[in-house]
Amino acid sequence: MKELLLVRYGELGLKGDNRADFERALLRHVEWTVRDMPGAFVSRSHGRLYVEGTFDRRLVLERLRKTPGIVAINPALRVDSEIDAVVEASIAASKEAVDKRGFKTFKVEARRGDKRFPLTSPEINRKVGEAVLAANQGLSVDVHSPDFVLTVEVRDTGTYVYWDEVRGPGGLPSGTSGRGLLLLSGGIDSPVAGYLALRRGVKIDALHFWSYPIVGERSKEKVIDLCKALRESGPDLRLYIAHFTDVQSEILEKCPERFRVIVMRRMMMRIACEWASSVSAQAVFTGENVGQVASQTLESLRAIEDVATLPVLRPLICFDKVETVAIARSIGTYDISCLPYEDCCTVFVPRHPVTKPKLEDVRAAESRLDVQSLVAACLKRIEEEDLTAV
Amino acid sequence: MAAPHTAKEIIYMDNSSTTRPAPEVVKAVTSAMEEGWGNPSSLHKLGSKSQAIVRAARQAVARAISADESEVYFTSGGTEANNLAIFGTLRTLPDRKRIITSTVEHPSVMAAYEYLKETGYDVRFIRVDSLGRVDPEEVLREVTPDTALVSIMLVQNEIGTLQPCREIGRGLMSMGGKRPRFHIDAVQGFARLSIDVREWGVDLLSVSAHKIHGPKGVGALYVRKGVSLTPLAFGGGQEKGVRSGTENVPGIAGFGAACALWETDREETMRRLTDLRAKLVDGILGAVPDAVLHGPRREGVAPYIVHFSFPGLRGETILHALEERGVYVSTGSACSSHKDKPSPVVLALGRKEEEALGAIRFSMSRYTTEDDVRITIAALLESLQSLKAWRR
């Protein structure tokens, strides 16, 4: 009897010719979830992945829960396809369900995929059901709304018994939907936007605008931590740091106060689009959201998009804050985002920012800036941060 | 007096957050770990050696507050000492439901009282004047037979204001009979200010080691003889059952060594710091006309804490600009430095929100020199100049 994790994926099964590529990408990502566990191995068979061997089950489950493309994970027991062994595993699984969750009712759902097995599915149901009842006092059968379903799958690689299920994020495996560049601040929204893009299989790299020394080292460490959290969903995510203080100083000097923020965002967008192109990204992702703060009115979004040379995709555009926060909590970025350090935006917001900028006014407001050379100078100093360092 | 093993380029002006352990402290901690590693409760020689280390430190702490060594109980720090004083008292006096404190206490006291208020206690938060001082008469007027505890800090941790603890304690003493207990959070004043628990009528007093060049993770609670406390942690009965748990011998040894630093030259050091504080305050006020000083300018303030606001700038922005120039400070207090939020302590002085933002606390130690102060002022002026464009 062996403990393992049975990993199920859904949507990518529908993708015809691409299926093999998608499965390979998912396999690679699942292998990444056991990267620090040399005793674990991952295998694939009949549209399932299996994580077996010796590994930290709780940690791997937590990682798989954030792995795009996975629909569900079942912690399962595998035995040889002999009825005595199947019964024994079923009893063990049922006892675990009763112990852990205090369940009172159950039913058995057998699926005989391997027709060499001598018992039919209804016969397995009956036999396993009787044994489980006999082994658990106080447990009874309820075929309509049981507390748990004990699934018994007879396959050519053995028989799998499980009762528990952890939901995965769904979506598409990492790296199967092209490449995008995420504008990552220290806030709550942008990491969630990045996660949603990753969940659709987009290979995401992140760009952070850093106002050192107006802000401290800690604001960068915070962004590094956010990226490490996002890496669970996008293992090859890279982080680029753009030194932004000089651009901001120029804006402070040469632009009217009310237009500071909108001009700053236009500068960020210009730099992001240039950088995205140079790393072969097809689109820029942001955490923007309609009307959440003054700079995110439709007028502001239009004024920002005015300078974009790539599609600007905003996964959170119509989310409510509570929805965003719920996702941030589930992917482990919320607590990091809530650390109180200043970032390039908080130090920059004027008392009365313009909320509904007219495009011609915005263009006029930045007329004294030497946009080209500021963008070029900033691009020159973009650095990749090492996310593997502890 | 030269700073111990301090790199020249760093001017550490954040001593109310924590202090650098003195070389004598490091030595005492190391020696307690290498040689005094026995369990003080053990009956063999190693045990009695550790017990002797703990006892010597206990005596040093007691001397600093004119207490008897039997009245000093070691804890894991100021926060635990405060919590033990508060909850230990309330559990011992379950019929008394009133607590009197101020609006400017440290979070380790404030958070406890907020919690107690929610659970049904009648907590009176006495307001402070524009310099951060409570009126002792007002405190005493609030006392009822139902009052379990009067709890006032000695030195306000953000702005340095000295509270009239002696007056309050004397006033309570004169009430006799069923008077409430008097607790002082003395973390920011201990060892540097003269404290006489008997003369002041103190029942409970919290202190901490790492604010006086001792190690982190160790503090103590003074409990006047005859005052009983219900423990928060039950166990092996260490610290006479008031605080069970094997003693943190290295930390306690370091605490003792830190107390000893101040014993010989406390008054002289304080005189020197008083002079340095005046130079720092005058230097800043003279050069930065719109700087707002929170707390008293001269009298009635701990001579090592200075708190300014620079309206229009963010505290963290100034902090990083000073950091660039090798000067380390904090925004408000390290415990409450939250983005965008003005300090509740500064607001309690009656300041407007704009005046409370852009706050920086400079805090000095026995190793701060006149050069440090001069360089700090220069670095501040340079910083403010460089940040001109960032003002709002």
Short mmCIF file of all heavy atoms in Angstrom, two decimals, chain A residues 110-133:
data_model
loop_
_atom_site.label_atom_id
_atom_site.label_comp_id
_atom_site.label_asym_id
_atom_site.label_seq_id
_atom_site.Cartn_x
_atom_site.Cartn_y
_atom_site.Cartn_z
N ALA A 110 -16.93 2.67 -7.31
CA ALA A 110 -15.86 1.90 -7.95
C ALA A 110 -15.89 2.13 -9.45
O ALA A 110 -16.95 2.29 -10.05
CB ALA A 110 -16.02 0.43 -7.64
N ARG A 111 -14.70 2.20 -10.05
CA ARG A 111 -14.61 2.29 -11.51
C ARG A 111 -13.60 1.26 -11.98
O ARG A 111 -12.41 1.34 -11.63
CB ARG A 111 -14.16 3.70 -11.92
CG ARG A 111 -15.33 4.60 -12.26
CD ARG A 111 -14.82 5.99 -12.57
NE ARG A 111 -15.19 6.90 -11.49
CZ ARG A 111 -14.44 7.89 -11.04
NH1 ARG A 111 -13.26 8.11 -11.56
NH2 ARG A 111 -14.88 8.66 -10.07
N ARG A 112 -14.09 0.27 -12.73
CA ARG A 112 -13.18 -0.78 -13.17
C ARG A 112 -12.67 -0.41 -14.56
O ARG A 112 -13.33 -0.67 -15.56
CB ARG A 112 -13.90 -2.13 -13.19
CG ARG A 112 -12.96 -3.28 -13.46
CD ARG A 112 -13.65 -4.60 -13.35
NE ARG A 112 -14.72 -4.72 -14.34
CZ ARG A 112 -15.06 -5.87 -14.92
NH1 ARG A 112 -14.46 -7.01 -14.60
NH2 ARG A 112 -16.05 -5.91 -15.79
N GLY A 113 -11.52 0.24 -14.61
CA GLY A 113 -10.93 0.60 -15.90
C GLY A 113 -10.20 -0.60 -16.49
O GLY A 113 -10.13 -0.77 -17.71
N ASP A 114 -9.68 -1.43 -15.64
CA ASP A 114 -8.93 -2.62 -16.08
C ASP A 114 -9.86 -3.82 -16.01
O ASP A 114 -10.17 -4.34 -14.93
CB ASP A 114 -7.72 -2.81 -15.16
CG ASP A 114 -6.89 -4.02 -15.57
OD1 ASP A 114 -7.29 -4.72 -16.53
OD2 ASP A 114 -5.85 -4.25 -14.92
N LYS A 115 -10.32 -4.26 -17.18
CA LYS A 115 -11.36 -5.28 -17.21
C LYS A 115 -10.84 -6.66 -16.82
O LYS A 115 -11.60 -7.62 -16.72
CB LYS A 115 -12.03 -5.35 -18.60
CG LYS A 115 -12.65 -4.03 -19.03
CD LYS A 115 -13.78 -3.57 -18.10
CE LYS A 115 -14.35 -2.23 -18.58
NZ LYS A 115 -15.14 -1.53 -17.58
N ARG A 116 -9.52 -6.77 -16.61
CA ARG A 116 -9.00 -8.07 -16.16
C ARG A 116 -9.36 -8.33 -14.71
O ARG A 116 -9.31 -9.46 -14.24
CB ARG A 116 -7.47 -8.08 -16.30
CG ARG A 116 -7.00 -8.09 -17.74
CD ARG A 116 -5.50 -7.89 -17.81
NE ARG A 116 -5.11 -6.62 -17.20
CZ ARG A 116 -3.84 -6.22 -17.06
NH1 ARG A 116 -2.85 -7.00 -17.45
NH2 ARG A 116 -3.56 -5.06 -16.51
N PHE A 117 -9.71 -7.28 -14.00
CA PHE A 117 -10.07 -7.43 -12.59
C PHE A 117 -11.34 -8.28 -12.50
O PHE A 117 -12.32 -8.00 -13.20
CB PHE A 117 -10.29 -6.05 -11.96
CG PHE A 117 -10.32 -6.06 -10.45
CD1 PHE A 117 -9.17 -6.30 -9.73
CD2 PHE A 117 -11.52 -5.85 -9.77
CE1 PHE A 117 -9.21 -6.30 -8.33
CE2 PHE A 117 -11.56 -5.86 -8.40
CZ PHE A 117 -10.39 -6.09 -7.66
N PRO A 118 -11.37 -9.31 -11.64
CA PRO A 118 -12.47 -10.28 -11.69
C PRO A 118 -13.82 -9.73 -11.24
O PRO A 118 -14.85 -10.24 -11.68
CB PRO A 118 -12.01 -11.40 -10.75
CG PRO A 118 -10.96 -10.79 -9.89
CD PRO A 118 -10.31 -9.73 -10.71
N LEU A 119 -13.86 -8.71 -10.36
CA LEU A 119 -15.15 -8.21 -9.89
C LEU A 119 -15.61 -7.04 -10.75
O LEU A 119 -14.80 -6.23 -11.20
CB LEU A 119 -15.04 -7.73 -8.43
CG LEU A 119 -15.19 -8.77 -7.33
CD1 LEU A 119 -14.03 -9.75 -7.37
CD2 LEU A 119 -15.27 -8.11 -5.97
N THR A 120 -16.92 -6.93 -10.96
CA THR A 120 -17.47 -5.78 -11.69
C THR A 120 -17.55 -4.60 -10.73
O THR A 120 -17.42 -4.76 -9.51
CB THR A 120 -18.89 -6.08 -12.19
OG1 THR A 120 -19.74 -6.25 -11.04
CG2 THR A 120 -18.93 -7.32 -13.07
N SER A 121 -17.82 -3.41 -11.28
CA SER A 121 -17.90 -2.23 -10.42
C SER A 121 -18.97 -2.40 -9.32
O SER A 121 -18.68 -2.11 -8.15
CB SER A 121 -18.18 -0.98 -11.26
OG SER A 121 -17.10 -0.78 -12.15
N PRO A 122 -20.20 -2.81 -9.64
CA PRO A 122 -21.19 -2.99 -8.56
C PRO A 122 -20.74 -4.02 -7.52
O PRO A 122 -21.00 -3.84 -6.31
CB PRO A 122 -22.44 -3.49 -9.28
CG PRO A 122 -22.27 -3.05 -10.69
CD PRO A 122 -20.80 -3.06 -10.97
N GLU A 123 -20.03 -5.04 -7.96
CA GLU A 123 -19.54 -6.04 -7.01
C GLU A 123 -18.47 -5.46 -6.08
O GLU A 123 -18.43 -5.73 -4.88
CB GLU A 123 -18.98 -7.26 -7.75
CG GLU A 123 -20.06 -8.14 -8.33
CD GLU A 123 -19.52 -9.17 -9.33
OE1 GLU A 123 -18.34 -9.07 -9.76
OE2 GLU A 123 -20.28 -10.07 -9.70
N ILE A 124 -17.61 -4.61 -6.67
CA ILE A 124 -16.59 -3.95 -5.83
C ILE A 124 -17.29 -3.05 -4.81
O ILE A 124 -16.98 -3.05 -3.63
CB ILE A 124 -15.61 -3.12 -6.69
CG1 ILE A 124 -14.92 -4.01 -7.72
CG2 ILE A 124 -14.57 -2.43 -5.81
CD1 ILE A 124 -14.09 -3.24 -8.74
N ASN A 125 -18.27 -2.27 -5.29
CA ASN A 125 -19.02 -1.38 -4.39
C ASN A 125 -19.54 -2.14 -3.18
O ASN A 125 -19.40 -1.71 -2.04
CB ASN A 125 -20.22 -0.76 -5.12
CG ASN A 125 -19.81 0.39 -6.02
OD1 ASN A 125 -18.71 0.91 -5.90
ND2 ASN A 125 -20.69 0.77 -6.93
N ARG A 126 -20.16 -3.28 -3.45
CA ARG A 126 -20.79 -4.05 -2.38
C ARG A 126 -19.73 -4.58 -1.42
O ARG A 126 -19.80 -4.40 -0.21
CB ARG A 126 -21.60 -5.20 -2.98
CG ARG A 126 -22.76 -5.64 -2.08
CD ARG A 126 -23.66 -6.65 -2.80
NE ARG A 126 -23.98 -6.24 -4.16
CZ ARG A 126 -23.70 -6.96 -5.26
NH1 ARG A 126 -23.07 -8.11 -5.17
NH2 ARG A 126 -24.05 -6.53 -6.46
N LYS A 127 -18.72 -5.20 -1.98
CA LYS A 127 -17.70 -5.83 -1.15
C LYS A 127 -16.95 -4.81 -0.28
O LYS A 127 -16.79 -4.99 0.92
CB LYS A 127 -16.70 -6.54 -2.10
CG LYS A 127 -15.61 -7.28 -1.40
CD LYS A 127 -15.73 -8.77 -1.63
CE LYS A 127 -14.67 -9.51 -0.82
NZ LYS A 127 -14.94 -10.94 -0.69
N VAL A 128 -16.53 -3.72 -0.91
CA VAL A 128 -15.80 -2.68 -0.17
C VAL A 128 -16.72 -2.02 0.85
O VAL A 128 -16.36 -1.80 2.00
CB VAL A 128 -15.21 -1.63 -1.14
CG1 VAL A 128 -14.73 -0.39 -0.39
CG2 VAL A 128 -14.08 -2.24 -1.95
N GLY A 129 -17.96 -1.75 0.43
CA GLY A 129 -18.93 -1.10 1.32
C GLY A 129 -19.12 -1.90 2.59
O GLY A 129 -19.09 -1.36 3.70
N GLU A 130 -19.31 -3.22 2.45
CA GLU A 130 -19.53 -4.07 3.62
C GLU A 130 -18.32 -4.03 4.55
O GLU A 130 -18.45 -3.90 5.77
CB GLU A 130 -19.79 -5.52 3.19
CG GLU A 130 -21.20 -5.74 2.70
CD GLU A 130 -21.34 -7.05 1.90
OE1 GLU A 130 -20.37 -7.86 1.89
OE2 GLU A 130 -22.41 -7.24 1.29
N ALA A 131 -17.12 -4.11 3.96
CA ALA A 131 -15.91 -4.13 4.78
C ALA A 131 -15.72 -2.82 5.54
O ALA A 131 -15.35 -2.80 6.71
CB ALA A 131 -14.69 -4.41 3.89
N VAL A 132 -16.01 -1.71 4.87
CA VAL A 132 -15.85 -0.39 5.50
C VAL A 132 -16.85 -0.24 6.63
O VAL A 132 -16.52 0.27 7.71
CB VAL A 132 -16.01 0.73 4.44
CG1 VAL A 132 -16.19 2.09 5.11
CG2 VAL A 132 -14.81 0.75 3.51
N LEU A 133 -18.10 -0.67 6.40
CA LEU A 133 -19.12 -0.61 7.46
C LEU A 133 -18.68 -1.41 8.68
O LEU A 133 -18.81 -0.95 9.82
CB LEU A 133 -20.45 -1.18 6.94
CG LEU A 133 -21.35 -0.19 6.19
CD1 LEU A 133 -22.58 -0.92 5.67
CD2 LEU A 133 -21.75 0.97 7.08
#
